Amino acid sequence: MKTSVILNRNFTIGEIDERIYGGFIEHLGRAVYGGIYQPDHPSADADGFRTDVLGLIRELGMPVTRYPGGNFVSGYNWEDGTGPRDRRPVRLDLAWKALEPNTFGTDEFIKWCRRAGTAPMMAVNLGTRGPAEAQQLVEYCNFPGGTELSERRRANGGREPYRVKLWCLGNEMDGPWQTGHRTADEYGRTALEAAKMMKWTDPSIEVIVCGSSNDAMPTFGYWEETVLEHTYDLADYLSIHRYFGNRCGQTPGYLAQPEEMAGFIRRAVACCDAAGAKKKSSKKIMLSFDEWNVWFHSNGREKESPEWTVGRPLLEDVYTMEDALLVGMLLSTLQNHADRVKIACLAQSVNVIAPIMTEKDGGAWRQTIFHPFALASKYGRGIALQSVVEGPCYDAEFRTDADAPPVLHRGIPYLHASFVHNTERSEVVIFAANRNLAEPMELEVRLGDFDAVSVIEQQTLHHSDLKAVNSAEREEVAPVAQQGAALENGTLKAVLLPASWNMLRISLRQPARADGSRQKQP
């Protein structure tokens, strides 16, 4: 089985915004309590942050982290998580039927972000609260001083402004499951007033308005049209969410789901551009795909966890090799839409449908999906390239659940890939999945006018058992260096194992300086 690809340095999609490799920490399950924050853990630092988790977060290289939700934020009073801990109230979290002790809040999150090497992406409550409380949180975080709220932050240890740049105006407000759910018109008016007051307080911020939580929502399209009609002039991004699963065990169809993600992106972009055209505006609304991941393994196990307790274990999916293969392709899909997707957040980062898991009295460990994310985040920086691909395809049937009608996916290429020109490293980086479950793929990539020098490495994620998982005791699924990839007359030739995800790095000749020397390879 052979697939051929043609690349050219001048045929580009766009600059990849590093924020597409973002993460998410919600007050849900053990994400905060027992995840990033556990003062009684042997690895905890003076602030109660687990340093073993911090190390793995840094390894993932997440430039932004969304907080504090998620469904949780729609019932959250941000003031509860500030000030002396012994005076903070314990509240009911109606979203996840848990107790919220508020021992971790805004100030702790900002401090954690600085330790983790990530930037905060804050969400405001537009469910049970409104524009006034949203403005007050921006003032608390970002105003230098001299007001009651900014001085309260300073008294709580934040002497300098937190300079939070990204703000989510609520969460999934199209969903009836949301605390304080609103209609499109109600939300659009509320979001407009919140954005106005927040930007009056700090004109440097960017705001993200809620689009449909997924494109299967009956209001998809109408919701975007209505919300953007209200908010277009002040909004910077439209938020979209999508989760994927393989409940019926149909692996070929499951591995076709990146095409579903790409379709959702195209439809959301069309909604944004239609709203702009209606307003005769030259402004483009970009996308924030700020919840995406595989989520289905833990469905139905909620009753195993006692309600109204702190950090009740929820949504603790254990991921397989098959899931890692899909996540690698979903990352390529985000890269392949770099012209419009500027922010994305893997949901979530620790314990809750997450690449990192923790043991209460033990260590932290990497799930299978950790590895494609870490490699894509580290090496997938630069310019996303268009490609011309010629190779075999397949058809596959897929059901989202047992009661759903089957959907037939036709003409799915066995190769799913993205191509990145990393100008800083003088590399072309290829992220490539072979969706054929039985046959290896002979991959040829003609590098066009790239002056390719050599293959730096090929890292392959593969396992003979697609249901293989990692655990605290054993990392069964991890990248392995492959040999054999080579350059021949400007063409890369490599073999991709069946059902594998791969990263290949090709070094390029450095352009000559004025003195005739060449820059050293970083």
Side-chain angles (χ1 to χ4, degrees):
M1 185 178 68
K2 183 176 179 179
T3 296
S4 300
V5 180
I6 300 174
L7 298 180
N8 186 296
R9 72 166 62 238
N10 296 312
F11 296 163
T12 64
I13 298 168
E15 184 80 24
I16 295 173
D17 193 316
E18 66 173 13
R19 296 175 299 175
I20 70 167
Y21 305 114
F24 182 23
I25 292 291
E26 180 176 0
H27 285 247
L28 160 59
R30 296 192 305 124
V32 174
Y33 305 111
I36 65 173
Y37 177 76
Q38 189 179 344
D40 62 350
H41 191 268
S43 77
D45 63 16
D47 292 298
F49 306 150
R50 285 188 58 153
T51 56
D52 55 352
V53 173
L54 280 169
L56 292 179
I57 290 285
R58 293 189 199 104
E59 192 176 328
L60 285 171
M62 292 173 160
V64 296
T65 298
R66 182 169 171 247
Y67 173 88
N71 294 352
F72 172 81
V73 77
S74 293
Y76 180 53
N77 300 331
W78 67 266
E79 304 93 332
D80 292 346
T82 63
R85 285 196 179 93
D86 59 357
R87 299 181 193 172
R88 297 184 189 181
V90 176
R91 304 282 192 196
L92 293 181
D93 168 22
L94 299 180
W96 301 109
K97 294 188 177 182
L99 279 186
E100 175 51 58
N102 285 303
T103 49
F104 186 99
T106 300
D107 301 305
E108 288 81 16
F109 175 65
I110 297 296
K111 188 178 290 187
W112 181 86
C113 283
R114 290 170 177 169
R115 302 259 174 93
T118 188
M121 176 177 168
M122 298 286 287
V124 298
N125 177 358
L126 293 187
T128 59
R129 308 188 89 183
E133 293 86 358
Q135 179 277 328
Q136 288 161 9
L137 180 55
V138 174
E139 182 179 341
Y140 179 86
C141 288
N142 288 7
F143 201 75
T147 68
E148 190 276 332
L149 288 169
S150 59
E151 289 302 319
R152 191 191 306 178
R153 180 201 69 238
R154 289 165 60 86
N156 290 337
R159 298 292 298 171
E160 297 298 321
Y162 293 153
R163 297 184 179 87
V164 179
K165 177 77 169 178
L166 289 173
W167 293 85
C168 303
L169 303 183
N171 172 76
E172 293 184 359
M173 298 308 300
D174 63 324
W177 58 84
Q178 205 67 214
T179 308
H181 163 64
R182 301 173 189 261
T183 66
D185 198 61
E186 289 169 340
Y187 170 71
R189 286 282 301 126
T190 301
L192 170 63
E193 294 305 312
K196 184 169 67 178
M197 295 168 65
M198 293 163 74
K199 287 194 171 187
W200 282 349
T201 304
D202 183 353
S204 73
I205 66 171
E206 295 181 314
V207 298
I208 304 162
V209 297
C210 290
S212 295
S213 47
N214 63 75
D215 56 348
M217 294 295 291
T219 55
F220 175 72
Y222 167 77
W223 175 276
E224 284 71 17
E225 177 186 8
T226 305
V227 169
L228 289 173
E229 184 175 342
H230 287 292
T231 62
Y232 198 91
D233 292 337
L234 288 179
D236 298 290
Y237 306 92
L238 179 78
S239 167
I240 58 175
H241 297 169
R242 185 72 181 268
Y243 293 97
F244 303 89
N246 189 18
R247 293 176 180 84
C248 298
Q250 297 173 300
T251 298
Y254 180 50
L255 298 182
Q257 294 307 289
E259 277 68 17
E260 293 293 313
M261 180 192 240
F264 186 16
I265 291 171
R266 289 192 296 270
R267 289 187 285 274
V269 166
C271 290
C272 292
D273 290 348
K278 189 174 180 180
K279 287 183 171 287
K280 301 178 177 63
S281 174
S282 60
K283 172 183 176 180
K284 281 190 176 181
I285 300 289
M286 300 298 177
L287 297 187
S288 175
F289 211 132
D290 43 45
E291 286 189 33
W292 69 272
N293 202 350
V294 171
W295 175 15
F296 74 101
H297 296 285
S298 61
N299 291 166
R301 297 211 302 266
E302 295 82 3
K303 293 182 180 179
E304 299 173 10
S305 175
E307 295 180 356
W308 311 121
T309 55
V310 176
R312 57 182 295 233
L314 290 171
L315 282 58
E316 297 199 3
D317 281 34
V318 175
Y319 291 117
T320 65
M321 171 62 214
E322 179 181 85
D323 300 325
L325 183 55
L326 181 70
V327 164
M329 291 189 285
L330 295 176
L331 285 159
S332 284
T333 304
L334 295 172
Q335 293 167 345
N336 286 335
H337 291 85
D339 56 331
R340 297 304 290 268
V341 178
K342 299 300 181 182
I343 304 164
C345 300
L346 181 70
Q348 294 187 16
S349 300
V350 183
N351 285 331
V352 175
I353 47 174
I356 300 169
M357 299 295 289
T358 69
E359 302 294 307
K360 181 180 178 182
D361 300 314
W365 51 278
R366 302 170 186 83
Q367 291 235 58
T368 62
I369 67 170
F370 182 101
H371 297 293
F373 191 99
L375 287 172
S377 176
K378 184 173 182 179
Y379 294 108
R381 312 288 178 102
I383 300 167
L385 299 170
Q386 295 181 6
S387 60
V388 177
V389 179
E390 183 178 347
C393 300
Y394 70 99
D395 300 336
E397 189 175 275
F398 187 71
R399 294 176 186 266
T400 53
D401 57 59
D403 298 325
V407 174
L408 180 61
H409 296 284
R410 295 186 180 276
I412 304 300
Y414 280 114
L415 176 71
H416 188 281
S418 55
F419 305 88
V420 180
H421 180 198
N422 189 320
T423 55
E424 289 189 8
R425 293 177 179 269
S426 289
E427 295 176 3
V428 168
V429 184
I430 300 170
F431 301 99
N434 177 8
R435 290 190 270 206
N436 192 305
L437 304 183
E439 295 183 37
M441 176 184 292
E442 296 178 25
L443 178 65
E444 290 191 358
V445 181
R446 290 167 55 188
L447 293 162
D449 57 354
F450 287 105
D451 194 356
V453 176
S454 63
V455 177
I456 301 171
E457 64 173 333
Q458 177 181 355
Q459 293 286 333
T460 297
L461 198 65
H462 170 77
H463 198 283
S464 57
D465 179 7
L466 283 175
K467 302 303 181 184
V469 301
N470 291 346
S471 66
E473 293 74 33
R474 180 176 173 81
E475 190 166 83
E476 186 70 24
V477 178
V480 174
Q482 296 290 320
Q483 304 299 319
L487 285 170
E488 295 182 15
N489 300 318
T491 297
L492 169 74
K493 294 187 177 182
V495 174
L496 310 184
L497 295 175
S500 69
W501 181 87
N502 303 263
M503 183 197 71
L504 297 104
R505 296 167 57 210
I506 299 101
S507 67
L508 306 176
R509 195 176 308 281
Q510 294 280 356
R513 294 189 173 120
D515 61 2
S517 65
R518 295 184 185 272
Q519 184 180 342
K520 288 185 80 173
Q521 181 77 16

